[in-house]
Amino acid sequence: MEALADIEHQRWSHWQRYVHDKCERRPDGSLLIPAGLVERWQRQIETPYPALGEAEKESDREQVRRYLPLVLETLEITTDAPLDKK
């Protein structure tokens, strides 16, 4: 549990850093997300994984690669089949 929670926190903090860097910091400390990013992220939220473009799918796979080894190790699964199914 703790190892997965650590990976999740790393993933979340990386995403938050990215979002904060893309936003405009207001004088009151709040962040303003540019309209273009809101539109893009809303589209991604509403798009099922199979309908995403290849670059967006690869971004999701990149996140899974952070924790998949730990999941497989924990489940003690070994396989000769490739795990990177597209």
Side-chain angles (χ1 to χ4, degrees):
M1 176 68 82
E2 291 305 303
L4 286 171
D6 181 43
I7 293 168
E8 171 54 21
H9 180 72
Q10 290 174 41
R11 187 206 59 77
W12 173 84
S13 62
H14 179 265
W15 170 248
Q16 288 302 306
R17 193 172 302 111
Y18 174 80
V19 171
H20 286 217
D21 287 348
K22 297 294 182 184
C23 293
E24 175 190 329
R25 185 166 300 274
R26 307 303 291 248
D28 67 358
S30 63
L31 298 171
L32 177 64
I33 303 173
L37 287 177
V38 172
E39 291 171 16
R40 174 180 160 198
W41 293 337
Q42 188 62 46
R43 180 188 52 77
Q44 290 172 327
I45 288 166
E46 295 170 358
T47 304
Y49 177 80
L52 291 173
E54 193 56 35
E56 291 168 331
K57 286 181 178 180
E58 185 56 33
S59 178
D60 288 346
R61 293 180 198 120
E62 181 182 317
Q63 296 306 311
V64 172
R65 287 185 191 103
R66 293 177 177 226
Y67 57 83
L68 184 60
L70 179 59
V71 170
L72 294 175
E73 179 184 324
T74 301
L75 296 174
E76 297 179 353
I77 293 176
T78 57
T79 179
D80 293 333
L83 297 173
D84 240 358
K85 296 180 181 176
K86 295 183 181 179

